[in-house]
Amino acid sequence: MQTSTLTVQDIVRRPIFQGAVIFANDKALERIVKWVHVMEVTEVGHLLSGQELILCTGIGWQDDEEKSASFLQQLIRCEAAGLCVELGTYTKKPLERMKRMAMDADFPLIFFYHEVRYIDITRELHTHLINAQYQMNAELSQFGQRLDSLALSGKGMAALLGELQRTVRAQVVYRRSDDVGAQPYCAPPVPGRTRAAALAARAFDGQHDTAAQADVRTDQVICRTIAVMDRQFAQLALLADADRPLGAFEQQALERCASAVAHELLRTLYNEEKRKLSEHQWVGAWLKGTIGARDLAEQAALLPGYRPDCVKTVIVIEPQSAAADLPDFESSALQRQLMARRLFDKHGYTLLPEWREGRIVYVVLARRQTPDSADDARRLMDELRALDAASPAPLYGPLYAVGPSFTAPESLPASYEAALRSLDIRHASGVVDSPLYRDLHIYRMVHQLQRNPVFQTFCRDYVTPVLDHDREHGGQLYATLRTLLELSGAKNETAKALFVVRQTLYHRIDKLKELLGEDFLLPPKRSAIELAVHAHEYASRPPLGGAQ
């Protein structure tokens, strides 16, 4: 049952206002009163929030027309509910200018020609307002419990919307944001598609651009946008009858119902995600290369917008350990997976998730023309990580890798294996910043050779003498060698990069010649030293993200 609002009309009918002279038109008497204040100061604009009934004796302006007009103008501008003035002691009679201003603004004036105990008025009205607020909160709490019960019973969204309609006794209109042309759901139902469309136009007029809209609130229409996982899914509105405007109770009831609908949508999406995972078990066989070309073509043809020649790539993700240790990890991971699917879908990619050996694998299929999807995959993964970072235990960390892009379906296992190797390299060393396999370069070989005793001896032969010299003398020979090689032996650029003068650089180069030989910058010795330096960098950098 709706909690009634308190209007000026309701107040002046109370016995405590017996004998008062009311100067107000019908519209002024309909003003809603949310609180009552006694105010005698003349500067009140910064002290009011709106819809307050002000009580005063006029001591601040007495019979000064300018001050009284300024005081009233501030009340009107702040949307106060009305003004009560006790006449006699300070203000002898109603000022005509105030009466004209009030009439023009549909603002009620209440005059007492006898002494009034304002303390009695405030106590009586505050008691009523507080009790009304308590009653409204109790009814909203009961409404929320009914919504929870319906949600747990699995009766669906129609049951939630029906309960909202029965509670507020107003027309309920619900519409999916991704299909504004479809017939909206109405409770109670309305006959005919035209009538339903007219209600939707009234509820959502000007609200078609859901990406930029704001919620609407008037005494005739309340519209609320429903968002799930940062995506706007639907709109829910209440429409008032002509003689029964919407108030705070209806607005808060709509908010609670919108939250319940959002949870129902999330549950539906969660179940849909589980269904898709079950239906896409063939993706695992595709990754392993054990699915036949004909079976693959039949399964892939069921995907929306799939073309056999579309650009494809693979992302392999190491889950954050904090998220993996949660008791509800499976449920949480499915929700993050749903978030990832929505993000990639928004940018024109179909995402096929798969869990393999404790890692998340995303097969990414482009639905639009693109020469290479690897860069997009990296950008979207960074965006996904930023969204996930707000979670108490983020799932997506810095450890992920993107395999090479390809078009031939049979190339998926190779891209997957490349992504795994890239992830292993990033897991072992922080030397490679990029998650793209194509950016590994020489570290693809270093990673494979690092445990080979012959290669270890090879690296020691070319790097250990320089490192030992630095350790014994506190020098910077290794940094000089690495920078000199990076800059192709250019001495001016090397000196600038090291912030040393050329004479100091020449002295260091002479020392490097003593340790490595006069020909250390000439091929093929230079190539050998470069390989050894890269191997040392690989071995000495701590794992990315603190991985072990």
Side-chain angles (χ1 to χ4, degrees):
M1 177 176 152
Q2 179 190 6
T3 303
S4 61
T5 55
L6 186 66
T7 65
V8 175
Q9 180 83 281
D10 300 326
I11 288 175
V12 298
R13 288 174 177 169
R14 291 174 171 265
I16 200 168
F17 280 82
Q18 187 175 1
V21 176
I22 315 300
F23 187 81
N25 56 25
D26 291 341
K27 189 173 181 180
L29 293 174
E30 292 174 358
R31 282 183 176 250
I32 294 174
V33 178
K34 288 190 174 179
W35 203 243
V36 185
H37 285 314
V38 177
M39 304 192 79
E40 297 290 3
V41 295
T42 56
E43 297 296 328
V44 297
H46 62 293
L47 301 176
L48 300 177
S49 299
Q51 297 185 310
E52 300 95 345
L53 179 65
I54 305 302
L55 312 178
C56 73
T57 62
I59 189 173
W61 74 77
Q62 300 188 17
D63 290 323
D64 188 322
E65 242 186 46
E66 288 299 325
K67 286 186 178 180
S68 65
S70 172
F71 179 75
L72 180 60
Q73 185 61 48
Q74 291 176 69
L75 298 185
I76 294 171
R77 188 166 55 247
C78 293
E79 298 183 350
L83 173 63
C84 299
V85 184
E86 178 188 302
L87 301 173
T89 305
Y90 302 106
T91 302
K92 305 302 181 185
K93 62 180 181 179
L95 300 176
E96 292 301 319
R97 185 175 174 184
M98 290 183 71
K99 291 163 70 174
R100 290 194 302 270
M101 289 174 60
M103 186 61 68
D104 292 340
D106 299 318
F107 188 86
L109 296 177
I110 303 171
F111 297 106
F112 294 101
Y113 284 87
H114 58 280
E115 188 177 56
V116 181
R117 283 171 54 89
Y118 279 163
I119 190 172
D120 293 336
I121 293 178
T122 55
R123 180 171 56 235
E124 179 175 326
L125 296 182
H126 285 170
T127 299
H128 174 89
L129 291 167
I130 291 170
N131 288 341
Q133 183 66 42
Y134 177 81
Q135 180 186 354
M136 185 177 78
N137 290 341
E139 291 179 357
L140 286 169
S141 177
Q142 294 170 7
F143 173 62
Q145 291 174 9
R146 294 195 296 273
L147 291 177
D148 291 342
S149 178
L150 288 171
L152 293 173
S153 70
K155 292 183 179 179
M157 195 175 305
L160 299 175
L161 299 177
E163 183 59 36
L164 173 64
Q165 192 279 323
R166 286 188 294 274
T167 300
V168 301
R169 292 176 299 174
Q171 181 67 56
V172 175
V173 185
Y174 172 84
R175 182 182 70 182
R176 287 289 295 256
S177 297
D178 57 359
D179 194 4
V180 295
Q183 182 171 348
Y185 179 86
C186 299
V190 296
R193 186 180 183 91
T194 303
R195 170 67 175 151
L199 285 178
R202 180 183 167 199
F204 308 119
D205 186 27
Q207 297 294 299
H208 300 297
D209 183 11
T210 57
Q213 73 183 25
D215 292 337
V216 174
R217 167 74 170 90
T218 71
D219 62 355
Q220 293 298 311
V221 178
I222 307 177
C223 177
R224 176 73 163 83
T225 300
I226 299 174
V228 179
M229 302 179 72
D230 297 320
R231 179 183 172 186
Q232 293 168 348
F233 264 82
Q235 293 166 290
L236 181 61
L238 291 178
L239 303 179
D241 295 331
D243 58 345
R244 192 167 176 273
L246 303 171
F249 176 80
E250 289 82 3
Q251 182 179 11
Q252 293 190 42
L254 180 69
E255 292 287 336
R256 296 195 181 207
C257 187
S259 178
V261 169
H263 282 89
E264 183 68 21
L265 283 170
L266 181 60
R267 185 171 67 174
T268 301
L269 293 171
Y270 176 83
N271 290 334
E272 181 184 338
E273 188 66 22
K274 290 183 69 174
R275 178 184 59 78
K276 287 180 178 178
L277 278 176
S278 177
E279 292 177 352
H280 294 166
Q281 290 182 358
W282 57 272
V283 175
W286 191 11
L287 288 168
K288 291 187 293 185
T290 57
I291 189 172
R294 182 175 178 180
D295 290 340
L296 173 60
E298 289 177 354
Q299 294 287 354
L302 300 176
L303 299 173
Y306 176 79
R307 302 185 322 278
D309 62 343
C310 70
V311 177
K312 312 167 186 69
T313 193
V314 179
I315 305 172
V316 181
I317 305 162
E318 187 85 25
Q320 295 271 66
S321 58
D325 294 339
L326 293 176
D328 62 341
F329 172 67
E330 182 180 351
S331 172
S332 175
L334 269 176
Q335 292 182 18
R336 313 291 176 80
Q337 193 168 287
L338 176 60
M339 179 169 64
R341 191 191 295 275
R342 297 287 174 184
L343 176 64
F344 277 77
D345 181 73
K346 175 182 171 184
H347 291 84
Y349 289 94
T350 297
L351 202 66
L352 300 179
E354 176 78 7
W355 282 83
R356 297 188 65 79
E357 300 177 353
R359 288 170 169 172
I360 306 168
V361 181
Y362 289 155
V363 178
V364 183
L365 312 176
R367 298 195 306 271
R368 56 184 178 82
Q369 293 295 331
T370 178
D372 188 342
S373 58
D375 286 324
D376 280 351
R378 175 182 185 173
R379 177 177 57 82
L380 292 174
M381 276 301 303
D382 289 343
E383 189 174 337
L384 183 62
R385 289 180 56 214
L387 291 172
D388 187 40
S391 305
L395 177 67
Y396 302 109
L399 273 173
Y400 72 94
V402 182
S405 295
F406 61 95
T407 55
E410 62 271 16
S411 299
L412 177 67
S415 180
Y416 172 55
E417 290 298 326
L420 285 176
R421 287 197 297 274
S422 179
L423 187 62
D424 288 343
I425 292 172
R426 301 191 81 209
H427 199 282
S429 172
V431 69
V432 181
D433 234 7
S434 171
L436 304 184
Y437 177 77
R438 68 174 186 228
D439 293 339
L440 292 178
H441 306 307
I442 199 171
Y443 294 107
R444 291 161 57 183
M445 184 171 65
V446 169
H447 177 69
Q448 296 295 325
L449 295 174
Q450 61 170 332
R451 289 186 174 87
N452 186 303
V454 175
F455 183 67
Q456 292 173 356
T457 301
F458 169 85
C459 294
R460 284 196 297 270
D461 289 345
Y462 289 105
V463 174
T464 299
V466 178
L467 295 174
D468 288 345
H469 182 276
D470 281 350
R471 190 163 42 251
E472 292 171 7
H473 300 88
Q476 295 290 323
L477 284 187
Y478 176 76
T480 302
L481 174 63
R482 184 185 62 205
T483 307
L484 194 62
L485 293 173
E486 287 176 354
L487 297 176
S488 304
K491 297 181 178 58
N492 279 338
E493 287 77 2
T494 301
K496 290 178 182 178
L498 294 172
F499 300 102
V500 298
V501 297
R502 285 169 59 92
Q503 195 61 39
T504 299
L505 177 63
Y506 292 150
H507 175 73
R508 293 181 183 179
I509 291 175
D510 289 341
K511 181 59 66 176
L512 287 171
K513 289 179 179 179
E514 289 181 21
L515 296 171
L516 300 176
E518 291 284 339
D519 58 345
F520 82 95
L521 286 178
L522 299 176
K525 193 172 190 178
R526 170 179 167 168
S527 298
I529 294 174
E530 283 183 321
L531 178 58
V533 167
H534 282 301
H536 175 73
E537 291 293 307
Y538 178 89
S540 61
R541 294 284 183 94
L544 187 65
Q548 299 298 323

